[in-house]
């Protein structure tokens, strides 16, 4: 495989896509062979499970029909008895002219027939249907248990690092860390300028994945963000009034009218959303700052209307470039296609921008922006602040970079194989094209940090990104204040450390709600104002601090199988036994695991 990526789109299409699928297939085959799962036997079990599920669905449907018949017959018996007792005749105002006796005879007769049918046929049929459903449920449970037991050796061999190993094997230029270390974070903050103040009390890291490209560090982050949004509450009030009118004969009449008044009240309420982003540090063009966001022009194709929009955009850029009265240093480059599609007009250093975006870099960037077959087209925001680059890809929003091996566990070998390959393919594609705007710049791959050149080993202690993501892995319900009615933003602080184990304090920030009523004036049809009550909720902050313990494992060699997700005995089990912690209260994440105090 090439050590440098000169064109992300063609490299992925012609080299990495097929190579990664082949590597994923080989990796699964290796795990399957080590687990020694009988594929033919598993396929037979799965077919049996599918047959039982189909029969169970049919049996449940039949049982539901029999239950409906029983209900209808019970209703008919009740109606028949009431008819026999004369209630139906009285309701129909049938008097004693002989017809009442007919109603009584028919009602009692129908009830007797219904009871006989119910007792002799319907109830036994429903009982048999219930017994069949229960029998099929038991058989299905046993069949699944046997299938799960058969697949257990394979399910235990999946680990957090399998995707990272595949990426490293196929694309050596991308190095993914076992976990996000404090040394890696200190490098991004201390040397490249990533600000810790960005991570305020209104956001929490759900998942992180760090690594480097030729020694230049990057970090993917998925965060939960809390914002304040206006929420509209609605209230109703029904009013009544009397009106007097005179008819055509001169007589006065009173009429009562009513109207339901609707009022609205707006108040702030906390909203929570997820956002994924990528930060990347590189010493190239150290004083350059610029930003760009999707324009939509690259996705329009090459039609007449698209060409007109691009010509209009280029005309505006030329006018902006020729304006010498403002403070902008923007100068239009000769590659007009790049200028229109990339559309970065706030760059502060034209020389360094041209150093970064050479003709080759511009050509590759244009191809990336236009391509929607291999990649995702123009779907990313790109911000460069001196040494730091921030990329926010739209395609990454909603895709979880969590590599939890539990996701692969199943009782169906073929389904497991298909999901393992497709999931890792999509993971690689998501990561690759998130990095693609950076890979389009050859200078970024040619420039190495001084620490990489002269040798540097980052600290192995995990950073607060990992601490927050581990807390969120446990779930905010374990940490939230008892009065909290919203989601929580979890923030962490390392309290103490002994050996490779740290005590992490977790503060859960949330909100309690107080029910309020606001009276809003509304004009009614009676010609008066009315106060309409609108119930709303006032959100007040609450917080609670608790803790958990976290341990970084010793580095393991690649393809090591001594540390599976679960199993009869592992080194994790031994350690948890030693400290008296049950697996039920422990969480595992790559080479880091944690447990609740």
């Amino acid at each position: 495989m090439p050590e440098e990526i000169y064109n992300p789109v063609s490299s992925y299409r012609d080299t990495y896509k097929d190579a990664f699928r082949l590597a994923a297939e080989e990796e699964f085959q290796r795990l399957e062979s080590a687990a020694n799962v009988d594929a033919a036997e598993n396929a037979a079990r799965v077919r049996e499970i599918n047959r039982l599920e189909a029969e169970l669905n049919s049996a449940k449907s039949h049982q539901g029909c029999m239950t409906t018949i029983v209900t209808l017959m019970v209703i008919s018996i009740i109606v028949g008895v009431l008819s026999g007792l004369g209630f139906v005749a009285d309701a129909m105002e049938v008097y004693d002219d002989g017809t009442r006796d007919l109603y009584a005879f028919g009602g009692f007769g129908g009830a007797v027939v219904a009871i006989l049918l119910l007792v002799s046929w319907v109830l036994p049929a429903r009982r048999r249907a219930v017994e069949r459903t229960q029998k099929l449920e038991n058989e299905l449970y046993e069949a699944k248990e046997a299938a799960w037991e058969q697949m257990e050796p394979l399910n235990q061999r999946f680990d957090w690092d399998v995707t990272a190993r595949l990426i490293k094997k196929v694309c050596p230029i991308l190095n993914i860390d076992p976990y996000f270390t404090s040394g890696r974070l200190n490098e991004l903050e201390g040397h490249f300028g990533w600000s810790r103040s960005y991570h305020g009390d209104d956001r929490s890291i759900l998942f992180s994945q760090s690594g480097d490209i030729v020694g230049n560090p990057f970090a993917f982050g998925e965060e939960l963000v809390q914002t304040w949004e206006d929420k509209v509450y609605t209230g109703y009030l029904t009013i009544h009034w009397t009106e007097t009118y005179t008819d055509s004969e001169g007589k006065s009449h009173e009429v009562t009218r009513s109207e339901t008044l609707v009022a609205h009240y707006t108040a702030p309420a906390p909203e929570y959303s997820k956002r994924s982003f990528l930060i990347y540090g590189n010493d190239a063009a150290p004083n350059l700052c610029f930003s760009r966001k999707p324009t939509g022009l690259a996705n329009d194709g090459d039609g007449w209307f698209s060409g007109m929009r691009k010509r209009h955009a280029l005309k505006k850029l030329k006018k902006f470039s020729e304006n010498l009265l403002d403070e902008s240093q923007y100068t239009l480059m000769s590659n007009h296609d790049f200028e229109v599609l990339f559309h970065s007009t706030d760059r502060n250093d034209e020389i360094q921008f041209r150093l970064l975006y050479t003709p080759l870099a511009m050509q590759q960037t244009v191809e990336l922006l236009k391509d929607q077959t291999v990649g995702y087209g123009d779907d990313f925001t790109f911000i460069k602040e001196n040494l730091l680059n921030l990329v926010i890809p739209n395609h990454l929003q909603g895709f979880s970079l969590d590599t939890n091996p539990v996701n692969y566990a199943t009782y169906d070998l073929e389904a497991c194989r298909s999901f393992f390959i497709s999931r890792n393919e999509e993971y690689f594609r998501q990561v690759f094209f998130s990095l693609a705007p950076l890979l389009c710049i050859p200078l970024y791959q040619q420039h190495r940090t001084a620490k990489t050149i002269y040798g540097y080993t980052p600290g192995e202690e995990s950073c607060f990104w990992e601490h927050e993501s581990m807390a969120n892995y446990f779930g905010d319900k374990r940490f939230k204040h008892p009065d909290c009615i919203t989601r929580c933003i979890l923030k962490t602080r390392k309290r103490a450390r002994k050996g490779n184990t740290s005590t992490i304090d977790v503060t859960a920030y949330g909100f309690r709600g107080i029910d309020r009523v606001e009276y809003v004036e509304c004009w009614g049809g009676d010609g008066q104002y009315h106060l309409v009550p609108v119930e709303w909720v006032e959100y007040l902050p609450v917080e609670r601090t608790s803790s958990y313990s976290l341990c970084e494992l010793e580095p393991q060699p690649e393809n090591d199988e001594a540390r599976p997700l679960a199993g009869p005995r592992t080194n994790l089990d031994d350690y948890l036994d030693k400290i008296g912690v049950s697996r039920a209260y422990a969480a595992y994440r790559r080479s880091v695991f944690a447990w609740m105090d």
Side-chain angles (χ1 to χ4, degrees):
M1 295 296 170
E3 294 186 357
E4 292 185 1
I5 301 173
Y6 295 102
N7 188 310
V9 175
S10 62
S11 295
Y12 180 85
R13 180 185 60 237
D14 302 334
T15 304
Y16 295 120
K17 182 179 180 180
D18 293 337
F20 192 89
R21 180 175 182 83
L22 179 61
E25 291 173 347
E26 291 175 347
E27 177 68 11
F28 187 88
Q29 186 60 45
R30 183 187 70 81
L31 295 172
E32 181 184 350
S33 299
N36 196 27
V37 177
D38 190 324
E41 182 182 352
N42 181 261
R45 290 183 185 275
V46 171
R47 286 195 298 271
E48 177 67 11
I49 289 172
N50 293 337
R51 182 188 67 80
L52 289 172
E53 286 180 340
E55 291 188 11
L56 179 59
N57 291 333
S58 177
K60 286 182 177 180
S61 177
H62 178 63
Q63 178 182 328
C65 290
M66 296 308 299
T67 301
T68 302
I69 292 174
V70 169
T71 303
L72 293 175
M73 293 192 72
V74 169
I75 294 174
S76 67
I77 290 170
I78 294 173
V79 172
V81 171
L82 293 177
S83 299
L85 295 175
F87 288 105
V88 174
D90 290 340
M92 298 178 62
E93 297 183 354
V94 175
Y95 301 102
D96 193 8
D97 56 356
T99 311
R100 178 184 291 271
D101 294 335
L102 182 61
Y103 272 98
F105 178 78
F108 279 124
V112 170
V113 172
I115 291 172
L116 291 175
L117 288 173
L118 183 66
V119 174
S120 63
W121 177 68
V122 177
L123 288 178
R126 184 185 181 278
R127 184 174 60 254
R128 289 192 298 271
V130 172
E131 291 173 352
R132 175 170 170 75
T133 299
Q134 292 176 345
K135 179 175 179 293
L136 288 171
E137 286 178 343
N138 293 334
E139 291 178 359
L140 180 61
Y141 175 80
E142 292 174 358
K144 285 187 175 181
E145 282 291 300
W148 276 106
E149 183 177 354
Q150 183 189 24
M151 284 287 291
E152 183 178 1
L154 175 60
N155 290 334
Q156 303 307 323
R157 279 172 168 75
F158 297 121
D159 61 74
W160 287 92
D161 302 322
V162 62
T163 306
R165 291 198 302 270
L166 291 172
I167 293 177
K168 180 68 174 178
K169 178 180 180 181
V170 173
C171 191
I173 193 174
L174 303 182
N175 177 51
I176 296 181
D177 300 329
Y179 56 92
F180 198 173
T181 65
S182 58
R184 181 73 79 187
L185 180 61
N186 290 337
E187 185 181 13
L188 284 168
E189 290 181 339
H191 181 71
F192 294 102
W194 178 252
S195 176
R196 187 172 292 232
S197 62
Y198 174 81
H199 300 282
D201 292 342
D202 59 348
R203 58 193 65 209
S204 177
I205 297 294
L206 299 175
F207 188 82
S208 64
Q209 180 71 75
S210 64
D212 65 77
I213 305 174
V214 199
N216 298 294
F218 67 80
F220 285 93
E222 180 184 351
E223 62 181 0
L224 180 67
V225 182
Q226 183 260 312
T227 57
W228 287 97
E229 303 292 339
D230 287 338
K231 184 176 181 179
V232 179
Y233 298 87
T234 304
Y236 304 91
L237 177 66
T238 301
I239 60 174
H240 304 271
W241 70 95
T242 301
E243 293 181 354
T244 302
Y245 72 94
T246 303
D247 61 16
S248 58
E249 297 178 358
K251 296 180 180 180
S252 297
H253 300 273
E254 290 185 348
V255 60
T256 301
R257 303 190 183 280
S258 66
E259 180 186 9
T260 299
L261 302 179
V262 181
H264 303 284
Y265 181 73
T266 302
E271 294 290 336
Y272 297 85
S273 60
K274 295 180 182 180
R275 191 184 75 151
S276 298
F277 60 93
L278 164 68
I279 57 175
Y280 170 75
N282 196 294
D283 290 325
N287 301 317
L288 177 62
C289 299
F290 69 83
S291 66
R292 64 89 52 192
K293 59 183 180 180
T295 64
L297 294 174
N299 302 330
D300 285 347
D302 299 321
W304 177 84
F305 184 72
S306 173
M308 184 179 67
R309 290 187 61 198
K310 291 176 183 177
R311 287 191 295 272
H312 178 69
L314 179 60
K315 183 178 179 181
K316 291 176 64 176
L317 288 175
K318 287 180 177 179
K319 185 177 180 180
F320 181 67
S321 177
E322 293 168 356
N323 184 8
L324 303 179
L325 300 179
D326 58 20
E327 298 180 357
S328 171
Q329 300 184 29
Y330 175 78
T331 303
L332 190 69
M333 295 199 293
S334 58
N335 190 330
H336 292 170
D337 209 14
F338 169 80
E339 288 283 21
V340 169
L341 300 182
F342 195 70
H343 202 273
S344 174
T345 59
D346 61 350
R347 53 210 193 213
N348 67 335
D349 192 318
E350 285 293 329
I351 296 177
Q352 291 197 12
F353 189 82
R354 284 161 169 76
L355 180 67
L356 209 62
Y357 281 99
T358 60
L360 177 60
M362 287 189 289
Q363 176 186 340
Q364 294 178 165
T365 301
V366 169
E367 184 176 353
L368 174 67
L369 292 171
K370 288 184 174 181
D371 172 72
Q372 297 185 70
T373 304
V374 178
Y376 301 92
D378 183 9
D379 80 327
F380 61 89
T381 297
F382 187 1
I383 301 171
K384 176 174 167 60
E385 289 285 346
N386 300 320
L387 304 181
L388 193 73
N389 301 263
L390 172 65
V391 181
I392 305 176
N394 293 339
H395 67 262
L396 201 59
Q397 313 308 314
F399 181 85
S400 176
L401 292 174
D402 189 347
T403 56
N404 192 338
V406 171
N407 296 328
Y408 301 125
T410 181
Y411 61 81
D412 186 341
L413 178 62
E414 285 306 312
C416 182
R417 185 198 314 276
S418 176
F419 179 75
F420 179 88
I421 295 172
S422 62
R423 165 66 183 177
N424 281 286
E425 279 187 307
E426 183 60 22
Y427 191 103
F428 177 61
R429 181 169 179 252
Q430 292 274 346
V431 168
F432 186 89
F433 282 101
S434 297
L435 293 165
L438 307 171
L439 299 174
C440 285
I441 304 172
L443 184 61
Y444 273 176
Q445 298 179 54
Q446 297 163 6
H447 205 287
R448 299 176 62 190
T449 62
K451 292 180 179 180
T452 304
I453 297 173
Y454 297 108
Y456 168 72
T457 302
E460 296 299 325
E461 186 177 339
S462 57
C463 70
F464 79 91
W465 284 43
E466 288 287 352
H467 303 165
E468 287 186 10
S469 62
M470 185 62 76
N472 282 295
Y473 190 76
F474 276 117
D476 63 350
K477 290 182 180 180
R478 294 181 181 268
F479 303 100
K480 70 190 320 181
H481 190 281
D483 295 335
C484 180
I485 64 171
T486 65
R487 297 188 66 174
C488 288
I489 297 294
L490 303 182
K491 306 301 295 183
T492 60
R493 181 182 65 86
K494 185 174 67 175
R495 189 204 318 164
R497 183 173 178 85
K498 183 178 181 180
N500 62 345
T501 302
S502 303
T503 300
I504 308 298
D505 288 336
V506 182
T507 302
Y509 295 94
F511 298 90
R512 64 186 177 96
I514 299 180
D515 294 331
R516 305 289 192 188
V517 178
E518 184 73 17
Y519 293 90
V520 181
E521 278 192 345
C522 287
W523 180 260
D526 59 352
Q528 299 182 23
Y529 281 102
H530 298 268
L531 295 178
V532 179
V534 181
E535 297 180 354
W536 62 285
V537 179
E538 181 182 8
Y539 291 92
L540 299 177
V542 291
E543 61 183 72
R544 174 175 176 262
T545 300
S546 47
S547 64
Y548 71 88
S549 298
L550 179 141
C551 176
E552 293 94 3
L553 299 176
E554 293 297 325
Q556 300 285 332
E558 287 191 4
N559 298 327
D560 175 69
E561 296 182 13
R563 190 162 39 84
L565 171 67
R569 273 329 297 175
T570 69
N571 57 337
L572 289 183
D573 291 293
D574 295 334
Y575 188 84
L576 292 174
D577 287 346
K578 181 179 178 180
I579 62 178
V581 176
S582 166
R583 271 189 180 276
Y585 298 98
Y588 302 84
R589 217 169 148 274
R590 295 193 294 271
S591 297
V592 179
F593 73 98
W595 61 93
M596 300 293 295
D597 288 345

